[in-house]
Amino acid sequence: MLYLTLIIAAMVAASAAGAYLKHRTLTMYAGLVTALTVLFLLFGGADGAWFFIKLVGILIVAALASFAFREILALILSEDGAREIRKAPLTASFGMLMVLLYAVAGIFAPWIAPYGEAEVIASAFAPADENMLLGADQLGRDMFSRLVFGARNSVGIALAATILAFVAGALAGLFAAVSGGYMDQILGRSADLLMSIPSLIFSLLMLSIFGTGILVIVVVIAVIYSPRVYRLTRAVAGNVVVMDYVEASKLRGERPWYIVRRDVLPNTTAPLVAEFGLEFCFVFLLVAGLSFLGLGIQPPTADWGSMVRENATMISFGEFTPLIPAAAISLLTVSVNFVVDWMLHRSSGLKE
């Protein structure tokens, strides 16, 4: 209780110092944290107040790490790139940092994980110790190792499906906008038909028919999400194909591929890149959902969705281990959205 009192006193002092120095941000945040800490202390006791203080500490560490990562990127990039990255909010820096960490975990999973993803090393639901940071799962496999390998499997499959859906949908949308006529109508009505089918029901049906292989999962998800990419690409490219330089290319007799590559695509890149990030989030959540239902990535391959399902019984005993892969899914989704929001803000030309 003494340490808690000292922390509250320090926050009150910080708020008073901010008011004396006329620093509105310091005064506001220090006062808000102090008030919320007191509320948690009144209604949740000392445990509730400590929980809130730890949460604030995690947020502060995340903010400092994001700031340091942004400064490191500014040192690496060119002068123009450094100027842009320093304008990025801390949320975007945090998102880029998390995406980088997930990429490193996925690429170097065999060297980071202390054990194999299917290696049984302990008894079922063994607690965490010096050899197992997160304990064991229902078969005695190391949860930390499977979590690291899950970054490669879950994110890798979602990324492959997103790339396939994006390439197919974007190319179809660009050619529909350039060609027009019956081709535009046929592609548009086909996209409307696919979008009218609920994605989860369609994926469950297709996977039940064709099996649950990785290639089948990637193709099915690409078919589900390519119409969404098509609709956006067609709408964006439709505003470009009416420009004078595109009409001049058509009058010169240029082929559709030339017009798409030289005239339309360079002027639609910004919204398409942002759409790629959003589509990845949707695809990633669908892959995790399918694995949770048992029709996604099959055991013994590590996958975050299936890890939640396999260890869900531990929640009844007060264990938080099943929530770790769920938190990994949520953290990646939020991080990608932070980066996408920043990219959309930059491409829209809005100012702070």
Side-chain angles (χ1 to χ4, degrees), residues 200-284:
L200 183 59
I201 295 177
F202 181 78
S203 58
L204 291 175
L205 178 62
M206 292 295 103
L207 292 176
S208 299
I209 296 174
F210 298 105
T212 56
I214 293 179
L215 180 60
V216 176
I217 295 174
V218 170
V219 173
V220 168
I221 294 178
V223 171
I224 292 173
Y225 283 98
S226 56
R228 303 173 186 267
V229 182
Y230 167 83
R231 299 298 296 179
L232 175 70
T233 307
R234 174 64 184 84
V236 174
N239 296 326
V240 178
V241 295
V242 297
M243 297 296 179
D244 293 339
Y245 55 85
V246 178
E247 294 295 333
S249 297
K250 291 180 179 179
L251 292 175
R252 289 199 312 266
E254 302 291 353
R255 296 179 178 274
W257 170 245
Y258 176 89
I259 298 175
V260 167
R261 181 170 54 91
R262 297 296 298 273
D263 297 329
V264 181
L265 185 58
N267 294 284
T268 58
T269 303
L272 292 183
V273 172
E275 176 65 16
F276 181 86
L278 293 175
E279 289 297 324
F280 172 78
C281 293
F282 293 136
V283 170
F284 180 61

Side-chain angles (χ1 to χ4, degrees), residues 45-90:
D47 292 337
W50 276 117
F51 171 79
F52 176 73
I53 291 174
K54 291 177 182 178
L55 180 61
V56 173
I58 292 173
L59 293 178
I60 293 174
V61 171
L64 293 175
S66 303
F67 178 79
F69 180 71
R70 185 175 66 182
E71 293 303 314
I72 293 174
L73 284 180
L75 293 176
I76 297 174
L77 298 174
S78 62
E79 184 178 351
D80 294 337
R83 189 181 304 110
E84 288 293 330
I85 201 66
R86 283 196 171 99
K87 294 179 182 178
L90 284 181

Side-chain angles (χ1 to χ4, degrees), residues 125 137-138 141 143 146-147 154 288-289 291-294 301-316 319-330:
F125 300 127
D137 64 1
Q138 84 283 5
R141 298 169 296 189
M143 282 288 293
R146 287 182 62 79
L147 192 70
S154 302
S291 298
F292 182 82
L293 295 174
T301 305
D303 174 73
W304 291 339
S306 59
M307 288 174 64
V308 176
R309 183 190 74 248
E310 292 167 354
N311 300 280
T313 55
M314 298 180 67
I315 298 178
S316 303
E319 292 288 339
F320 65 91
T321 306
L323 301 179
I324 295 177
I329 295 171
S330 302

Side-chain angles (χ1 to χ4, degrees), residues 335-346:
S335 300
V336 173
N337 274 282
F338 281 156
V339 180
V340 170
D341 288 343
W342 173 58
M343 295 176 64
L344 285 174
H345 183 82
R346 289 182 64 247

